[in-house]
Amino acid sequence: MAQRILSLAAEEGPERLQEALQSLAEGERSGVLRRLQVYKHCVPLVESGDLHLSKVSEIIGLLMLEARQLPGHALAELANLFVDVIKGGSLTNGKSLELFSTVLTALASSKENLAYGKGELNGEEFKKQLINTLCSSKDIPLSGEELQFVVEKILRMFSRLDLQEIPPLVYQLLLLSAKGSKKTVLEGIISFFNQLDKRQKEEQRAPQSVDLEVATMPLDQLRHVEGTVILHIVSVINLDQDLGEELIRHLKTEQQKDPGRALCPFSVALLLSVAVKHRLQEQIFDFLKTSITRSCKDLQFLQASKFLQDLFPQQYDITAVILEVVKNSAFGWDHVTQGLVDLGFSLMESYEPKKPFGGKAADNSYGLPKMPAQQACKLGASILLETFKVHEPIRSDILEQVLNRVLTKAASPVSHFIDLLSNIVVSAPLVLQTSSSKVTETFDNLSFLPIDTVQGLLRAVQPLLKVSMSVRDSLILVLQKAIFSRQLDARKAAVAGFLLLLRNFKVLGSLSSSQCSQAIGATQVQADVHACYNSAANEAFCLEILGSLRRCLSQQADVRLMLYEGFYDVLRRNSQLASSIMETLLSQIKQYYLPQPDLLPPLKLEGCIMAQGDQIFLQEPLAHLLCCIQHCLSWYKSTVHLCQGAGEDDEEEEEEEGVGFEQNFEEMLESVTRRMIKSELEDFELDKSADFSLSSGVGVKNNIYAILVMGICEVLIEYNFKIGNFSKNKFEDVLGLFTCYNKLSEILREKAGKNKSALSNKTARSFLSMGFVSSLLTALFRDNAQSHEESLAVLRSSTEFLRYAVSVALQKVQQLEETGQTDGPDGQNPEKMFQNLCKITQVLLWRYTSIPTVVEDSGKKKGKSISLLCLEGLLRIFNTVQQLYSARIPQFLQALDITDGDAEETDINVTEKAAFQIRQFQRSLVNQLSSAEDDFNAKETQSLITVLSTLSKLLDPASQQFLQFLTWTVKVCKENALEDISCCKGLLSLLFSVHVLYKSPVGLLRELAQDIHTCLGDIDQDVEVEGRCHFAVVNAKTAAPTVCLLVLGQVDKVLEEVDWLIKKLTSLGSDISEDSSQASNQTQALEKGIILQLGTLLTVYHELVQTALPSGSCVDTLLRSLSKTYTILTSLIKHYIQACRSSSNTIPGRLEKLVKLSGSHLTPQCYSFITYVQNIHSESLSFVEEKKKKKKDSEAAAVSTVMAKVLRETKPIPNLIFAIEQYEKFLIHLSKKSKVNLMQYMKLSTSRDFRINASVLDSALQEQNSEDAENEPHNDQVNIP
């Protein structure tokens, strides 16, 4: 019956078929089966090709309408029929597939449970399984083109599918890729998820403006799907290694074109997951590390040039991408975690610091000045820290690896690993409890680690000591053993560990952190620990440690020194230990103090040294001991007394004890002060006649004595100034102590000048604390109180003392800049250091701007003037603040502006504040430049230029103030004929550094090249150079080599930029993407920028190659620079050859002009310049030959030196000629490709085929024979064999 209906439908039309189908609906079950039979016969009929297309369309349309009437099981059977037909490859015209899509839609809406395999599925699930089966088209034979078509078609369907349907489809695609099209599959998957990520970010940025129709899926759903897809890809790569290699190849290629598209969060996560397979790990990590350093270099490159920023407004930062992967991995991406950890450690080890950074107290994350390697190392640490925070299961593994590296890399710097460990502990302090055994094991190796590593490690794990008694006990055991070790470093490690414990285990009743003005570091947990240990236990524990430390007071000077430097911090944080510490110090100083009031000197210096054979060593750092006593006493008097009074009855006994040692110390320090002032240098066996050479035992002893006496004087100066309360008598004592210090200092300086020894030229570190230096400078220069005037006049009367105060400030700032901390109290407290820096800067700035150097009469005394010292101090401070306190620059500038002290911190405009300070130094520089020749101070001018250069970095390049500063700098260079080489160099370097942030400097370079040409004249002596002068700073004394080398250095930077742009242009040219119009616009902008830059550079070279440059560095640098220019021009021509191959585009008119310019303005002049260089070298050789004939053998060495110099300076010439000829060779290729005769602009180059000229050879041989004949009588003896 079905056959009859079909024949009727075929002959008489679909109307009869519709009637037949409706008649079949009358019977329930049998009707459904018959309808299904009709459908089964309709599919092959439609595909047979026997019916007319119009009838086929009508039949399919009718069947689609009636399909929704079929029950679920019938739809399932019909769908399976279609799958079999498709897999069998019997489809001819594919018209029946329109019906298939309707069947699938109807199937998805069916509520009926359908049999599938051994189980049952609902309509929606059944549909998914069918699609999955269908997509698994690996069984279907396909040609390469067909496979590519199928893959592209499926990839285009991704955007229309529900997100949950994508992972199975991806898996089938990956299996299909075994036949080919691997690159297309990978590229499509990565691109799809990259677009989803971007859309998700846009929605997060502006959730209100998102159109509901295009709104994407929830974030967690997207991340889970991405994770599943990554797992699928990894599992297929495990089966097919070629797919993994194709992935790496594809991403490497894409990275050259567009790093943002190649290394997106999804692709980086995918790479890290694949990296777990060891065969590909090395390749992947090398690729990622190279990409990271390249990205950092590119960012640095872009941020240093306004010209590049205009061409590339959007900057790609791979650091943010990788950290986003860490963030995304929180959504169950466990397969990415191990890759992240391995990458983090690989980065930290590959780019670890080469030298120790010294102490580190402040945050020195100062962005741009850092090298790419440092940024990569910092990124590695950030990856590990963020992974540690996000993934709990892997924490112990990260911690263990960090501790292992701290131990195994003891010989190399491990500060980066210790910083990471510290940050890890802060983020999760209790995690250490689960790894306490590993920490204990680390403690066992403390004795073998450098002291800096020990201190950093103990500070990092210190929070664990408060919560784990077993770890604390094991540490104490290790430290007690170390105290008796033979190794000095082990004993120092023991002292460092014990001091740390004393600082952090407070005895109940000690002052709080706020009372002590204590700054708690990042590695300390601000928690009350008395819940863990009672006060009695803590007190007994601390006293036991103090007992162990007392034994160290009989050990080497280095060990004692650590104790003296650490006692102050212990006292400040654990005030209940004051009496024990003070008693210890008192008993120690009594060993060297002579109590007789009239005995000179007051201290036994001979007890401070020790002899071992012929060698003399310092045994007791007496100055450090006195310094420790002074600071502890000062803190005790100012803090403890103020806080006492609440429980007077309970504390009477302690007070009496405190008063006892306090009085002892005061009397002792008073007596030592009085007698030190009275003492002569002879009393210490030190005078001008004493031996201070380091080669003899007596000299070493005298040097040690001198440094001890100077240190004691400095400690007493600080003590007497503090307790003096502006008393005239006390200040006279201060001056008396300084006189003693200064005499010794002069003697040492004089002796050091004679010795010229590196050791003797080292200035001993001052014992004055940073806080005291800031107070002293403020008092000396800024204290206008009437009541203080008379006493301060005593100190102000001594110019030497004022110079000394500023010199110490300079030394302290230098120490802070180099190590991040200073000696003395609060030296490791970043906040206190910043406050002191602000105070010192205020004083130095006022002193320098109020009293110019010219006003000072510095001729009477040797040494720098105070104003010049102030300027040097300001320069160091500005550098230090930008390096260590970059985040606090607004507060720093606010502190300097006395007129605007009440402004809120949020209102601080850094550019305005910096411009105000710049104006002050601009005035000083103009005064220097306009001063008479006798008053001109080159050193000060150079420092002023450097200060301006440092402060200009704080200006916003887009601001009006920046433009004003640039205009002023150009004006100064144009109007001032500076003849001092260093000042000229500094000024032009400043001009270049500012100019590149405003626009490209090529125009500026052309004017400078013209000035150099004018000053030095032309290589052709008959040509008179036009008398142009743009910049007065270019004159006869500075034009060569100073200005010439600076100009060529800047030209090289521009060439580097152009070379970088050409590489970007080439990668864009090979990029065939959807945004072709956007890429085309960018390509045109790049081409225009490159050609304009090169065109202007050619005019710069046009001037320089015609200049009569002196033989030496200028000629050599210019020849090398020209070679580089021709190489870059060749690269540009190669790009256009490639462009002509890939498309029928004609070359732009700009390029034709550039080639014309190179042919007319550069190549001929290059050959003339080469001839000029060869001539001046020939002249120098002939001159030397003449001298050789006159003086014979005595000048042989001079001749060989000149020969070597000529060979060295002519070496770049062949390279330049080769570069020119390569350029012309590729111009010929481009002319053929583009059908434009570019060689018409190039003149025939000089013949350089090096053929032997017979006539010239004959004349040279005859000349040589005549010379030999003349010299023969004189050389008989020499020529005898």
Side-chain angles (χ1 to χ4, degrees):
M1 184 179 175
Q3 293 288 353
R4 190 168 61 81
I5 294 172
L6 287 173
S7 60
L8 286 174
E11 292 167 10
E12 302 181 23
E15 294 82 5
R16 297 293 301 273
L17 179 61
Q18 186 175 10
E19 290 171 13
L21 286 170
Q22 285 172 352
S23 67
L24 288 174
E26 293 170 6
E28 284 286 331
R29 184 171 176 75
S30 58
V32 169
L33 290 173
R34 290 182 180 184
R35 285 166 69 89
L36 186 57
Q37 197 67 20
V38 170
Y39 273 88
K40 283 183 177 181
H41 284 87
C42 276
V43 171
L45 180 66
V46 168
E47 290 293 333
S48 67
D50 298 334
L51 299 178
H52 194 272
L53 283 177
S54 58
K55 281 195 174 184
V56 167
S57 298
E58 288 175 357
I59 291 170
I60 290 294
L62 173 65
L63 293 175
M64 286 167 66
L65 284 172
E66 296 294 330
R68 296 186 182 279
Q69 308 300 323
L70 289 171
H73 66 274
L75 288 169
E77 194 174 338
L78 191 56
N80 281 324
L81 168 70
F82 272 106
V83 171
D84 293 338
V85 169
I86 293 168
K87 281 191 170 184
S90 55
L91 289 176
T92 53
N93 57 21
K95 283 287 180 181
S96 61
L97 288 177
E98 294 177 31
L99 174 60
F100 183 43
S101 62
T102 307
V103 170
L104 284 178
T105 307
L107 190 60
S109 59
S110 172
K111 305 297 180 189
E112 188 179 334
N113 283 338
L114 307 169
Y116 184 83
K118 294 181 180 179
E120 290 186 343
L121 297 174
N122 62 30
E124 180 67 30
E125 292 294 328
F126 195 93
K127 173 196 159 189
K128 286 181 184 177
Q129 289 300 330
L130 278 177
I131 292 173
N132 193 10
T133 308
L134 236 171
C135 290
S136 180
S137 52
K138 59 185 179 180
D139 301 329
I140 304 171
L142 294 171
S143 67
E145 287 181 9
E146 289 170 339
L147 182 63
Q148 184 75 9
F149 174 77
V150 169
V151 167
E152 287 175 358
K153 179 76 175 175
I154 295 172
L155 287 171
R156 281 198 297 273
M157 293 297 294
F158 273 14
S159 56
R160 301 181 198 173
L161 294 173
D162 182 44
L163 199 62
Q164 297 295 339
E165 296 173 355
I166 289 175
L169 187 56
V170 165
Y171 185 70
Q172 295 301 332
L173 259 182
L174 291 166
L175 293 177
L176 183 61
S177 70
K179 295 182 176 182
S181 299
K182 289 183 173 64
K183 181 177 175 245
T184 310
V185 170
L186 291 168
E187 186 178 8
I189 294 168
I190 292 169
S191 177
F192 173 72
F193 283 106
N194 190 15
Q195 291 301 322
L196 283 184
D197 281 339
K198 283 181 181 175
R199 205 182 313 163
Q200 185 75 37
K201 278 185 196 170
E202 286 167 11
E203 286 181 16
Q204 286 175 347
R205 283 195 203 106
Q208 301 300 322
S209 61
V210 176
D211 188 350
L212 290 175
E213 290 181 7
V214 295
T216 57
M217 68 309 300
L219 179 64
D220 58 341
Q221 189 182 351
L222 171 61
R223 295 289 173 252
H224 284 117
V225 167
E226 285 177 338
T228 309
V229 168
I230 289 171
L231 274 175
H232 283 331
I233 297 174
V234 172
S235 65
V236 174
I237 286 175
N238 289 341
L239 302 171
D240 182 5
Q241 294 288 351
D242 292 342
L243 186 64
E245 286 169 3
E246 182 61 48
L247 172 67
I248 298 170
R249 269 197 303 274
H250 163 64
L251 290 178
K252 279 182 179 177
T253 310
E254 280 295 306
Q255 202 253 354
Q256 296 292 332
K257 301 175 190 174
D258 182 3
R261 200 169 69 195
L263 290 173
C264 58
F266 179 81
S267 61
V268 171
L270 175 58
L271 278 175
L272 292 172
S273 300
V274 174
V276 178
K277 297 297 292 179
H278 294 291
R279 201 170 80 80
L280 297 172
Q281 187 179 49
E282 191 176 342
Q283 287 183 60
I284 289 172
F285 280 178
D286 286 346
F287 169 57
L288 284 174
K289 286 190 285 189
T290 307
S291 302
I292 287 164
T293 48
R294 185 180 295 161
S295 171
C296 294
K297 282 176 187 172
D298 286 355
L299 269 177
Q300 215 169 26
F301 212 50
L302 284 165
Q303 289 167 334
S305 169
K306 183 69 168 67
F307 167 67
L308 293 180
Q309 287 170 25
D310 291 340
L311 289 173
F312 289 93
Q314 290 182 338
Q315 298 169 3
Y316 170 71
D317 183 9
I318 195 172
T319 304
V321 171
I322 293 178
L323 291 177
E324 190 177 337
V325 173
V326 181
K327 183 180 164 189
N328 293 348
S329 68
F331 293 91
W333 291 9
D334 296 337
H335 44 87
V336 179
T337 324
Q338 191 58 51
L340 282 169
V341 172
D342 292 343
L343 177 64
F345 281 115
S346 180
L347 285 171
M348 290 188 77
E349 289 177 334
S350 301
Y351 305 107
E352 63 188 5
K354 301 301 176 194
K355 291 189 241 178
F357 292 122
K360 177 176 175 290
D363 173 24
N364 50 2
S365 55
Y366 38 90
L368 263 184
K370 287 200 166 187
M371 300 302 291
Q374 289 173 296
Q375 290 174 322
C377 181
K378 188 180 175 185
L379 172 62
S382 301
I383 290 169
L384 290 170
L385 179 60
E386 295 305 314
T387 306
F388 184 89
K389 289 178 181 177
V390 170
H391 296 280
E392 195 170 336
I394 209 164
R395 285 180 177 177
S396 58
D397 181 42
I398 293 175
L399 183 63
E400 186 172 338
Q401 288 200 53
V402 172
L403 288 171
N404 283 339
R405 281 164 173 79
V406 171
L407 291 178
T408 55
K409 291 180 169 286
S412 57
V414 291
S415 55
H416 52 310
F417 283 115
I418 288 177
D419 291 342
L420 172 61
L421 178 63
S422 177
N423 291 330
I424 281 174
V425 175
V426 169
S427 66
L430 295 178
V431 76
L432 280 172
Q433 275 190 299
T434 57
S435 305
S436 58
S437 59
K438 185 63 191 172
V439 178
T440 307
E441 187 185 326
T442 308
F443 288 161
D444 292 337
N445 294 286
L446 283 184
S447 305
F448 308 106
L449 298 177
I451 186 62
D452 290 339
T453 304
V454 171
Q455 288 178 315
L457 182 62
L458 291 177
R459 273 198 300 269
V461 301
Q462 173 260 319
L464 178 61
L465 304 177
K466 293 187 172 185
V467 292
S468 174
M469 189 178 288
S470 61
V471 173
R472 190 191 73 172
D473 291 342
S474 66
L475 175 61
I476 293 170
L477 195 62
V478 168
L479 297 179
Q480 283 176 338
K481 285 180 186 174
I483 274 188
F484 300 103
S485 170
R486 290 183 179 182
Q487 301 297 323
L488 177 63
D489 273 357
R491 295 199 294 277
K492 287 166 77 173
V495 171
F498 279 139
L499 287 172
L500 179 94
L501 291 170
L502 285 177
R503 281 199 299 271
N504 291 291
F505 284 87
K506 287 190 180 179
V507 180
L508 198 59
S510 291
L511 301 177
S512 66
S513 302
S514 58
Q515 286 172 301
C516 300
S517 305
Q518 174 189 358
I520 296 182
T523 57
Q524 295 167 16
V525 174
Q526 300 180 34
D528 184 48
V529 298
H530 301 294
C532 297
Y533 308 109
N534 58 43
S535 61
N538 272 351
E539 186 169 7
F541 169 68
C542 290
L543 291 174
E544 182 189 346
I545 290 176
L546 271 176
S548 298
L549 287 177
R550 283 194 191 97
R551 297 191 194 106
C552 299
L553 293 174
S554 60
Q555 294 187 6
Q556 284 98 330
D558 284 353
V559 179
R560 301 185 194 194
L561 188 63
M562 285 191 71
L563 265 180
Y564 299 150
E565 288 179 343
F567 270 151
Y568 175 80
D569 271 342
V570 171
L571 190 65
R572 193 186 59 173
R573 297 184 186 182
N574 217 342
S575 58
Q576 284 298 97
L577 299 175
S579 58
S580 300
I581 290 173
M582 297 303 257
E583 286 294 343
T584 303
L585 292 172
L586 184 59
S587 65
Q588 188 71 6
I589 192 65
K590 279 182 177 178
Q591 297 176 36
Y592 307 98
Y593 173 65
L594 298 168
Q596 296 87 340
D598 299 324
L599 196 61
L600 298 179
L603 297 163
K604 289 189 286 189
L605 294 186
E606 61 274 9
C608 298
I609 59 172
M610 179 182 67
Q612 281 184 358
D614 296 337
Q615 293 185 315
I616 307 267
F617 297 100
L618 176 67
Q619 176 73 11
E620 177 63 72
L622 190 58
H624 286 88
L625 172 58
L626 265 181
C627 186
C628 176
I629 289 170
Q630 187 264 120
H631 289 309
C632 289
L633 185 62
S634 174
W635 178 87
Y636 187 83
K637 287 164 67 176
S638 62
T639 311
V640 175
H641 285 186
L642 294 174
C643 299
Q644 284 174 348
E648 288 183 7
D649 296 336
D650 298 331
E651 297 180 2
E652 277 180 16
E653 194 176 321
E654 286 182 23
E655 279 187 34
E656 284 174 15
E657 188 182 341
V659 168
F661 63 69
E662 185 182 330
Q663 190 174 346
N664 275 337
F665 277 130
E666 286 177 349
E667 288 172 359
M668 190 183 295
L669 289 170
E670 179 65 34
S671 173
V672 172
T673 300
R674 183 170 42 79
R675 287 188 278 165
M676 284 294 288
I677 294 168
K678 286 182 184 177
S679 298
E680 296 293 333
L681 292 183
E682 288 79 2
D683 296 327
F684 300 103
E685 300 175 13
L686 302 170
D687 54 26
K688 288 192 175 180
S689 61
D691 177 18
F692 285 95
S693 68
L694 295 174
S695 55
S696 67
V698 176
V700 172
K701 183 196 78 169
N702 288 340
N703 268 291
I704 292 173
Y705 277 6
I707 290 167
L708 283 176
V709 171
M710 288 166 68
I712 290 164
C713 288
E714 283 193 305
V715 171
L716 294 173
I717 285 170
E718 181 168 346
Y719 173 73
N720 284 284
F721 188 94
K722 280 181 178 177
I723 66 165
N725 197 19
F726 293 93
S727 152
K728 186 179 179 183
N729 293 335
K730 281 292 176 190
F731 281 7
E732 285 171 352
D733 289 347
V734 167
L735 207 55
L737 289 163
F738 172 71
T739 306
C740 176
Y741 171 90
N742 201 39
K743 281 180 189 173
L744 266 177
S745 178
E746 288 289 334
I747 291 172
L748 286 179
R749 198 177 297 123
E750 186 182 325
K751 299 285 183 181
K754 291 177 183 175
N755 276 343
K756 297 294 179 190
S757 161
L759 282 171
S760 56
N761 281 332
K762 277 190 177 178
T763 310
R765 276 187 183 171
S766 173
F767 280 81
L768 304 185
S769 63
M770 185 78 157
F772 171 68
V773 170
S774 67
S775 304
L776 177 63
L777 286 176
T778 307
L780 290 175
F781 296 120
R782 299 290 284 147
D783 193 332
N784 299 319
Q786 195 71 32
S787 57
H788 299 168
E789 191 174 345
E790 185 183 357
S791 57
L792 284 171
V794 175
L795 298 177
R796 288 169 178 167
S797 64
S798 169
T799 310
E800 286 296 327
F801 185 74
L802 297 177
R803 187 183 287 121
Y804 160 74
V806 179
S807 300
V808 173
L810 191 57
Q811 187 194 93
K812 292 288 174 187
V813 174
Q814 183 176 354
Q815 189 187 3
L816 184 65
E817 181 184 19
E818 291 171 357
T819 66
Q821 60 189 28
T822 62
D823 297 328
D826 299 316
Q828 297 183 28
N829 183 337
E831 181 58 36
K832 287 286 178 67
M833 286 300 101
F834 179 72
Q835 290 171 8
N836 289 327
L837 268 185
C838 292
K839 287 179 187 174
I840 291 172
T841 313
Q842 285 175 346
V843 177
L844 297 184
L845 192 58
W846 178 87
R847 176 65 175 72
Y848 178 73
T849 51
S850 303
I851 308 173
T853 318
V854 189
V855 178
E856 288 188 44
D857 186 14
S858 59
K860 294 179 184 176
K861 293 275 184 182
K862 290 181 181 178
K864 297 175 183 174
S865 68
I866 296 171
S867 288
L868 192 53
L869 283 171
C870 288
L871 183 59
E872 286 182 19
L874 288 168
L875 174 56
R876 280 202 175 277
I877 289 170
F878 292 143
N879 272 324
T880 304
V881 169
Q882 287 189 38
Q883 285 186 2
L884 299 181
Y885 299 98
S886 56
R888 303 201 61 185
I889 286 173
Q891 290 78 17
F892 174 74
L893 293 173
Q894 178 71 19
L896 301 190
D897 191 356
I898 305 164
T899 57
D900 191 21
D902 299 330
E904 291 183 15
E905 288 191 3
T906 51
D907 299 334
I908 300 171
N909 185 323
V910 172
T911 297
E912 284 181 11
K913 297 286 182 188
F916 175 75
Q917 299 302 333
I918 284 171
R919 283 194 291 274
Q920 297 191 69
F921 292 105
Q922 283 176 320
R923 284 193 289 272
S924 300
L925 182 58
V926 169
N927 291 338
Q928 269 295 325
L929 295 173
S930 57
S931 61
E933 192 174 338
D934 296 339
D935 294 333
F936 178 76
N937 187 327
K939 179 70 178 170
E940 184 177 0
T941 306
Q942 198 177 345
S943 296
L944 279 168
I945 292 167
T946 315
V947 167
L948 286 169
S949 179
T950 307
L951 287 175
S952 67
K953 294 172 187 171
L954 302 178
L955 296 174
D956 177 10
S959 65
Q960 192 63 33
Q961 290 90 338
F962 184 87
L963 182 57
Q964 288 168 358
F965 179 67
L966 173 60
T967 310
W968 176 85
T969 310
V970 172
K971 185 182 175 188
V972 168
C973 291
K974 285 188 172 182
E975 295 177 357
N976 293 280
L978 264 176
E979 293 189 344
D980 183 84
I981 301 298
S982 58
C983 293
C984 169
K985 193 174 180 180
L987 198 57
L988 279 176
S989 298
L990 170 63
L991 176 61
F992 289 144
S993 67
V994 177
H995 201 285
V996 292
L997 294 174
Y998 179 67
K999 64 176 182 180
S1000 174
V1002 285
L1004 179 71
L1005 292 170
R1006 180 173 53 197
E1007 292 180 354
L1008 285 165
Q1010 288 169 353
D1011 290 347
I1012 294 170
H1013 192 185
T1014 303
C1015 282
L1016 298 178
D1018 200 90
I1019 54 174
D1020 185 352
Q1021 295 177 357
D1022 300 333
V1023 174
E1024 188 176 340
V1025 184
E1026 187 184 340
R1028 301 158 296 187
C1029 184
H1030 303 96
F1031 291 90
V1033 77
V1034 184
N1035 50 59
K1037 285 192 177 180
T1038 61
T1042 308
V1043 177
C1044 181
L1045 289 177
L1046 280 170
V1047 167
L1048 287 171
Q1050 196 61 38
V1051 164
D1052 270 1
K1053 288 181 182 176
V1054 177
L1055 285 174
E1056 281 177 20
E1057 291 179 3
V1058 171
D1059 190 31
W1060 186 79
L1061 285 173
I1062 291 173
K1063 286 173 185 170
K1064 291 285 179 189
L1065 186 64
T1066 307
S1067 64
L1068 275 174
S1070 62
D1071 186 14
I1072 305 165
S1073 62
E1074 294 173 9
D1075 305 328
S1076 55
S1077 60
Q1078 186 181 347
S1080 173
N1081 292 339
Q1082 191 175 9
T1083 302
Q1084 287 177 11
L1086 283 178
E1087 287 176 349
K1088 182 181 177 183
I1090 290 166
I1091 292 171
L1092 287 177
Q1093 291 288 90
L1094 284 173
T1096 317
L1097 282 184
L1098 292 187
T1099 61
V1100 174
Y1101 284 123
H1102 175 69
E1103 296 291 338
L1104 291 177
V1105 292
Q1106 294 181 90
T1107 305
L1109 293 171
S1111 174
S1113 57
C1114 289
V1115 170
D1116 185 56
T1117 310
L1118 178 57
L1119 288 171
R1120 292 177 194 280
S1121 188
L1122 283 165
S1123 299
K1124 190 184 287 186
T1125 304
Y1126 276 106
T1127 305
I1128 288 170
L1129 281 168
T1130 308
S1131 299
L1132 183 64
I1133 297 302
K1134 285 179 180 176
H1135 162 71
Y1136 279 106
I1137 292 172
Q1138 187 63 37
C1140 286
R1141 279 181 190 153
S1142 58
S1143 63
S1144 57
N1145 291 342
T1146 56
I1147 59 171
R1150 283 193 208 93
L1151 180 68
E1152 205 171 334
K1153 287 179 184 174
L1154 180 68
V1155 172
K1156 184 178 180 181
L1157 189 65
S1158 70
S1160 62
H1161 277 62
L1162 189 58
T1163 305
Q1165 286 79 0
C1166 276
Y1167 283 119
S1168 303
F1169 186 69
I1170 289 169
T1171 308
Y1172 163 76
V1173 172
Q1174 289 172 332
N1175 287 340
I1176 58 174
H1177 287 146
S1178 300
E1179 287 172 13
S1180 63
L1181 279 175
S1182 60
F1183 176 70
V1184 171
E1185 285 291 337
E1186 287 294 324
K1187 286 180 74 177
K1188 182 183 175 184
K1189 285 177 187 176
K1190 291 176 185 175
K1191 297 190 179 180
K1192 301 189 174 57
D1193 297 337
S1194 60
E1195 289 294 315
V1199 172
S1200 61
T1201 306
V1202 173
M1203 284 288 289
K1205 184 183 176 187
V1206 168
L1207 283 171
R1208 188 173 63 250
E1209 291 180 0
T1210 53
K1211 193 177 178 182
I1213 291 176
N1215 295 335
L1216 173 58
I1217 293 164
F1218 176 74
I1220 294 172
E1221 290 171 353
Q1222 283 292 105
Y1223 171 57
E1224 291 175 353
K1225 171 187 166 184
F1226 283 99
L1227 272 180
I1228 294 168
H1229 285 322
L1230 182 59
S1231 299
K1232 290 176 181 175
K1233 292 282 178 189
S1234 63
K1235 307 293 188 291
V1236 177
N1237 184 14
L1238 296 171
M1239 289 304 292
Q1240 64 180 321
Y1241 306 117
M1242 310 302 289
K1243 295 179 182 175
L1244 188 65
S1245 60
T1246 308
S1247 174
R1248 292 185 183 273
D1249 54 6
F1250 305 107
R1251 281 176 295 190
I1252 296 170
N1253 190 321
S1255 59
V1256 174
L1257 180 63
D1258 286 340
S1259 62
L1261 286 170
Q1262 287 171 9
E1263 188 181 340
Q1264 187 178 357
N1265 289 334
S1266 63
E1267 284 180 7
D1268 289 346
E1270 288 174 17
N1271 295 334
E1272 196 170 346
H1274 307 287
N1275 295 334
D1276 284 344
Q1277 293 177 347
V1278 178
N1279 292 328
I1280 292 171

